[in-house]
Amino acid sequence: MAVRASREAVFDASPQAILDTLADMDALPSWSKLHRDVTVLDRHPDGRPHHVQATMRLMGVTDRELLEYHWGEDWVVWDAKDTFQQRGQHAEYNLTPEGEMTRVRFDITVDPSAPVPRFLLKRAKSIVLDTAIDRLRSRVTRNRG
């Protein structure tokens, strides 16, 4: 059964600054407590990551994912192939300029390969959303400073 989660927040940054931070895969493990190791396998013609191998750790469970990224002027999406822990994953950031600020919406859908107790799902969602929004915002702010 697929699990969905989303969060929205306003960042004091441009969509470009946010996308640049998301595209910097080398720095991702430094601000994302979920990412242990990230390797860009190939890139789109504009230099942004296309296929990325990532080792993830969430609540004591480690998984190795092959992610396929697609980028737009105000969005990024990725999909994960099947792994030991999940049958699939789709995530996206949609960015909407609001004057000098940007509204950031993050949505993720994960199809776990085995049933997960509700209390663990609630905790996992919180960790993923905190990383996707709050830790990203901190990294974007630090990059601007």
Side-chain angles (χ1 to χ4, degrees):
M1 173 181 184
V3 177
R4 292 175 179 80
S6 62
R7 186 174 290 170
E8 195 170 286
V10 176
F11 286 29
D12 184 13
S14 68
Q16 187 64 44
I18 296 164
L19 290 174
D20 287 349
T21 299
L22 290 167
D24 184 1
M25 295 294 165
D26 291 337
L28 188 56
S30 72
W31 62 266
S32 169
K33 57 185 167 184
L34 303 172
H35 292 83
R36 295 295 180 249
D37 181 55
V38 179
T39 303
V40 176
L41 302 176
D42 64 359
R43 296 181 180 274
H44 289 283
D46 67 359
R48 294 209 185 263
H50 184 208
H51 291 99
V52 174
Q53 187 80 47
T55 302
M56 311 288 289
R57 185 166 174 85
L58 176 61
M59 297 178 41
V61 177
T62 301
D63 204 8
R64 191 145 174 89
E65 301 176 344
L66 176 58
L67 306 167
E68 182 174 356
Y69 281 81
H70 295 280
W71 303 83
E73 287 185 26
D74 56 2
W75 56 268
V76 60
V77 301
W78 70 84
D79 292 287
K81 305 290 184 193
D82 292 0
T83 69
F84 184 72
Q85 300 296 333
Q86 64 187 3
R87 287 189 281 265
Q89 176 188 129
H90 175 82
E92 55 188 70
Y93 280 95
N94 288 288
L95 312 176
T96 306
E98 294 184 356
E100 298 292 316
M101 312 284 262
T102 302
R103 180 166 300 279
V104 178
R105 180 173 176 86
F106 176 75
D107 295 283
I108 187 166
T109 303
V110 177
D111 189 5
S113 58
V116 179
R118 187 179 308 258
F119 76 95
L120 288 178
L121 282 177
K122 184 177 178 183
R123 179 72 181 126
K125 282 182 185 182
S126 177
I127 292 168
V128 169
L129 295 175
D130 286 347
T131 299
I133 293 293
D134 299 332
R135 293 181 68 91
L136 172 62
R137 181 185 358 230
S138 293
R139 180 63 182 195
V140 169
T141 301
R142 193 174 20 213
N143 285 349
R144 291 183 62 213

